[in-house]
Amino acid sequence: MNRPLSAEGFEAQASSRAQNSALLNIRSVAKTFGKHAVLHNISLDVAEGEFLTILGESGSGKTTLLRIIAGFEHATSGEVWMGGERLDLLPPYKRRVNTVFQNYALFPHLSVEENVAYGPRVAKTPAGEIRTRVDEALAKVRMQQYAKYLPSTISGGQQQRVALARALVNRPRLLLLDEPLSALDANLRRQMQIELKTLQREVGITFIFVTHDQEEAMVMSDRIALLHAGELEQVAAPAEIYSRPATAYAAQFIGHTNLLEGEVQAGVARCQDLSWQVKLPDGPVSFSLRPECIRLAHAVSAQNAVYFRARVVDYAFHGASELVRVEASHGHTMTVRTSSHGKLRGEAELEFDPADAVPVRRPK
Amino acid sequence: MFSRAYKLAISLPPLAWVAIFLLVPYGLMFAYSFWSVSSAQNIVHSLSFANYAELLSHRVYRQTLLRSAWIAARVTVLSLLLGYPLAYLLSFHAVRKKNVLYQLVIIPLWVSYLVRAYAWKTILGTDGVLNTVLQFAHVASHPLGFLLYSPFAVVLTLTHIYTPFAFLPIYASLEHISRSLIEASNDLGASRVQTFRRVILPLSLPGVLAGATFAFVLSFGDFLAPLLLGGPSGIMISNIVVNLFGASYRWPLGAAISFCMLSLVLLLLWISGRLEKRWAYS
């Protein structure tokens, strides 16, 4: 699978796949624990072979949604379908869905290879086939030389790989991963992100990956389903969700952004004393403006760019770029990302292209 | 962190306690087992192996020792058969009633042993509750004699008394099993029965072993239940020891038997400790 270069092309591909061959359909699923509503009316289609990430803060309901798909929780209302079959009525052990647990949940009394052989064994697979499949699965995660070890004697990253092999050996139609990388340190996590993504392409199994880490979601996913307080904020490819966030929450949760609050009157948006032409109905409005979309004003600029003067308040080094906090003459504090280090200091004239100010739904 | 004087000060009292109330009496008992009683009913302090020789040559001691072990083995199996399902039910299926049920298992331990043993006497006797009910229901035409004053009565009573001791370590080991392992097993396609056999049972074995050790060791040395409910056929080794230290006034022989029992128990504890270590994974 080649990653298309343009966001639009990718988005088109992802959505067409979702329509043509949805493997999993989540239909109006809601979940309440006692009086506490954890999920409200979630509907989501996941395409065959897709890497979908459910992204959300802790308490957003992402793990509950995953557990409903796995069968450890029952939805209060709604249905889950997989490949044209009602999934939510089956017990967990009859679903062709496997889970990689957050704490790995490896059986402490079984060796690495016995852990991996667990699924095929309870399915009464012939012994010879179990052997080859276990070897294959361990090879895929490069853990063959640890086959005889007990889980307690290998490292966290290795346990992670074994958990993955133990799930994949069953050839599930859908693999669920519940924050599997959260216990690993930063370097290992980055390495595992790439490994996981590569592995997913190799085996072609649909992955639903749960995380609270937006960067992780961006790196790995075909699509991101952003969950907030039990509701889906936006479901889109990483590039789209970044460049076209649907809600103020999505814009702020994924990457940095500047939220401009204002009003539209007769085709003109006004935020403080900035104004530009828009094709939006009259009324209050919020815009998300990414820090990298603000630049130093040049003598020769785009015709309809929006100008403002600003004073640098603060700046922080971020490797390839620099994040500069400025106070604009109209009173807003805004963040600007620039790749020319140290150039934006003191007083400056800034501008942005109105097309980069994306109207977003405001919080209810 | 703490000074040597402080460490010494806090460890001295328990050490002294163990020495005075455990090591010294056991040492004395060990010494007694090599002494003898003269015809004038005095303890003769001279080394001899006569007590151990008598122990080996007389069938009654060997037989009673074997019978005690056999009764203890039956009590162990029965307590495990009762205690395990109860612990399993409590740990995995009693969500809200967990504490109440747990208390119900524990409360009998607060009732005096004697009261519980006498309770069985009134249930099992020829005019007891059970016989009366059986005759009333025309299941039996005359009172069943084997119920009381038999090894059966001893096994039943000891099972009643020591089941909580088997239950507690099993319950603790079941509570210790991470619930995500059960979910992982279900997730990998194992049914409830398969999950029990492949995950829950092997991980609870250390608890089963500890429970079995408790039940066996405690019932092996018991003397009240056989005294009250055993009758002549239900005599256990401790009854003989009590008698030798009492009416018979043969302390040296009693000490020799006690020392054999102690060795047996220590051997059992050592084996179960070894096995427990091997079965503990995490």
Side-chain angles (χ1 to χ4, degrees):
Chain A
M1 190 177 90
N2 291 317
R3 195 178 259 267
L5 290 172
S6 74
E8 288 73 26
F10 188 76
E11 175 192 321
Q13 189 193 352
S15 65
S16 78
R17 254 190 303 151
Q19 278 164 11
N20 292 343
S21 54
L23 172 71
L24 188 80
N25 313 100
I26 299 169
R27 298 180 188 166
S28 315
V29 161
K31 176 73 185 173
T32 49
F33 288 111
K35 283 182 183 164
H36 183 57
V38 179
L39 293 172
H40 312 267
N41 197 24
I42 303 286
S43 292
L44 179 64
D45 288 345
V46 184
E48 187 95 56
E50 189 176 12
F51 195 126
L52 179 102
T53 298
I54 301 175
L55 176 65
E57 304 167 306
S58 59
S60 60
K62 56 190 193 302
T63 296
T64 306
L65 184 56
L66 199 75
R67 290 173 61 81
I68 288 173
I69 302 170
F72 305 134
E73 304 281 359
H74 291 287
T76 312
S77 64
E79 297 172 0
V80 183
W81 290 69
M82 188 168 81
E85 262 187 347
R86 193 71 191 268
L87 189 69
D88 55 330
L89 299 177
L90 297 175
Y93 61 91
K94 286 197 178 145
R95 301 182 183 201
R96 286 200 59 195
V97 175
N98 284 117
T99 308
V100 175
F101 291 84
Q102 188 169 11
N103 58 0
Y104 320 136
L106 296 177
F107 302 118
H109 59 302
L110 301 179
S111 69
V112 163
E113 64 179 355
E114 287 168 330
N115 261 284
V116 178
Y118 192 92
R121 233 169 237 170
V122 295
K124 310 252 178 358
T125 311
E129 196 192 327
I130 294 181
R131 264 253 63 83
T132 50
R133 270 167 66 181
V134 167
D135 287 346
E136 220 177 81
L138 283 176
K140 208 164 271 163
V141 296
R142 302 196 315 276
M143 284 296 291
Q144 306 103 299
Q145 67 270 42
Y146 295 98
K148 305 284 181 206
Y149 284 55
L150 280 181
S152 55
T153 60
I154 57 176
S155 73
Q158 291 169 332
Q159 290 182 26
Q160 170 67 71
R161 290 204 175 91
V162 176
L164 208 56
R166 185 178 69 172
L168 287 173
V169 78
N170 305 296
R171 299 173 183 156
R173 299 191 67 181
L174 176 63
L175 187 74
L176 308 175
L177 302 103
D178 185 9
E179 304 215 28
L181 308 181
S182 61
L184 307 178
D185 60 54
N187 277 329
L188 190 56
R189 188 157 66 210
R190 268 192 289 276
Q191 186 193 327
M192 284 301 294
Q193 286 168 3
I194 296 162
E195 264 183 46
L196 257 181
K197 181 70 208 160
T198 316
L199 189 73
Q200 192 261 341
R201 284 182 197 172
E202 255 174 52
V203 297
I205 291 172
T206 309
F207 274 33
I208 297 184
F209 184 94
V210 160
T211 184
H212 63 267
D213 182 337
Q214 49 100 4
E215 244 172 83
E216 195 164 280
M218 301 276 261
V219 170
M220 301 175 76
S221 327
D222 292 334
R223 282 193 307 157
I224 295 173
L226 181 63
L227 205 57
H228 174 50
E231 281 178 87
L232 278 176
E233 290 277 325
Q234 189 170 11
V235 184
E240 190 197 347
I241 215 168
Y242 186 80
S243 58
R244 300 264 135 215
T247 64
Y249 179 81
Q252 282 174 316
F253 193 72
I254 296 183
H256 293 271
T257 202
N258 296 297
L259 270 190
L260 306 176
E261 310 270 349
E263 204 154 338
V264 176
Q265 264 177 1
V268 176
R270 279 177 214 287
C271 299
Q272 308 273 4
D273 55 0
L274 301 177
S275 64
W276 63 92
Q277 292 197 325
V278 289
K279 288 181 185 136
L280 290 170
D282 288 4
V285 69
S286 301
F287 293 96
S288 158
L289 180 64
R290 295 290 181 193
E292 61 272 23
C293 297
I294 305 173
R295 56 182 184 260
L296 278 167
H298 296 291
V300 192
S301 277
Q303 275 194 338
N304 50 1
V306 181
Y307 292 85
F308 60 95
R309 292 189 62 81
R311 190 172 53 82
V312 172
V313 185
D314 201 0
Y315 53 91
F317 179 67
H318 279 258
S321 66
E322 192 180 64
L323 277 182
V324 184
R325 222 148 56 82
V326 299
E327 199 180 281
S329 52
H330 54 272
H332 267 116
T333 301
M334 297 170 87
T335 310
V336 181
R337 188 191 291 277
T338 167
S339 54
S340 40
H341 292 273
K343 219 171 160 191
L344 182 54
R345 294 288 184 274
E347 299 268 332
E349 284 211 11
L350 301 172
E351 63 173 17
F352 63 87
D353 192 333
D356 289 331
V358 182
V360 291
R361 278 206 313 275
R362 288 133 67 88
K364 286 164 208 160
Chain B
M1 192 170 177
F2 297 109
S3 73
R4 282 187 66 161
Y6 176 78
K7 280 184 196 165
L8 200 69
I10 58 158
S11 53
L12 210 55
L15 283 178
W17 178 278
V18 169
I20 295 168
F21 293 106
L22 216 70
L23 294 180
V24 171
Y26 280 138
L28 268 176
M29 188 189 78
F30 189 53
Y32 262 101
S33 75
F34 295 104
W35 295 340
S36 57
V37 184
S38 72
S39 47
Q41 298 285 304
N42 289 320
I43 303 284
V44 181
H45 298 220
S46 63
L47 187 77
S48 93
F49 290 91
N51 297 316
Y52 289 98
E54 189 177 349
L55 194 60
L56 288 173
S57 59
H58 278 65
R59 266 190 60 197
V60 63
Y61 300 124
R62 241 181 332 169
Q63 252 179 0
T64 315
L65 205 64
L66 276 177
R67 186 195 298 132
S68 302
W70 175 229
I71 287 177
R74 278 183 286 177
V75 171
T76 304
V77 170
L78 288 174
S79 323
L80 290 181
L81 287 179
L82 286 171
Y84 199 104
L86 187 65
Y88 181 83
L89 186 83
L90 230 70
S91 184
F92 287 96
H93 297 295
V95 183
R96 269 190 220 152
K97 306 228 163 72
K98 209 172 199 168
N99 279 321
V100 179
L101 285 169
Y102 183 79
Q103 292 304 326
L104 283 179
V105 177
I106 298 304
I107 283 171
L109 291 178
W110 300 346
V111 178
S112 158
Y113 183 121
L114 271 176
V115 171
R116 284 182 286 166
Y118 269 110
W120 281 110
K121 215 169 171 162
T122 54
I123 292 170
L124 300 173
T126 40
D127 294 327
V129 178
L130 192 57
N131 269 320
T132 312
V133 170
L134 287 176
Q135 286 174 84
F136 181 76
H138 298 288
V139 177
S141 53
H142 54 87
L144 299 176
F146 69 88
L147 289 179
L148 192 58
Y149 304 125
S150 63
F152 166 80
V154 177
V155 169
L156 187 69
T157 307
L158 290 179
T159 303
H160 169 221
I161 288 168
Y162 293 124
T163 295
F165 289 89
F167 162 86
L168 283 172
I170 296 172
Y171 178 70
S173 73
L174 290 175
E175 282 289 275
H176 205 72
I177 297 173
S178 161
R179 294 311 185 248
S180 66
L181 294 180
I182 315 294
E183 287 184 350
S185 174
N186 283 329
D187 188 77
L188 292 166
S191 64
R192 209 174 249 190
V193 177
Q194 285 173 315
T195 300
F196 176 77
R197 199 169 63 77
R198 289 175 180 272
V199 179
I200 299 174
L201 187 62
L203 288 176
S204 64
L205 277 184
V208 172
L209 191 69
T213 310
F214 275 135
F216 187 89
V217 168
L218 290 174
S219 48
F220 179 65
D222 198 276
F223 75 98
L224 265 173
L227 187 72
L228 294 172
L229 305 126
S233 62
I235 287 288
M236 286 173 75
I237 193 71
S238 295
N239 299 108
I240 292 185
V241 175
V242 168
N243 192 272
L244 290 171
F245 274 97
S248 308
Y249 194 63
R250 296 190 62 190
W251 289 28
L253 184 60
I257 296 178
S258 302
F259 186 72
C260 283
M261 288 172 71
L262 183 68
S263 311
L264 203 79
V265 165
L266 286 178
L267 180 75
L268 264 177
L269 290 177
W270 180 75
I271 292 172
S272 92
R274 287 290 299 256
L275 283 178
E276 222 169 306
K277 215 172 254 171
R278 191 196 287 179
W279 289 342
Y281 306 96
S282 36

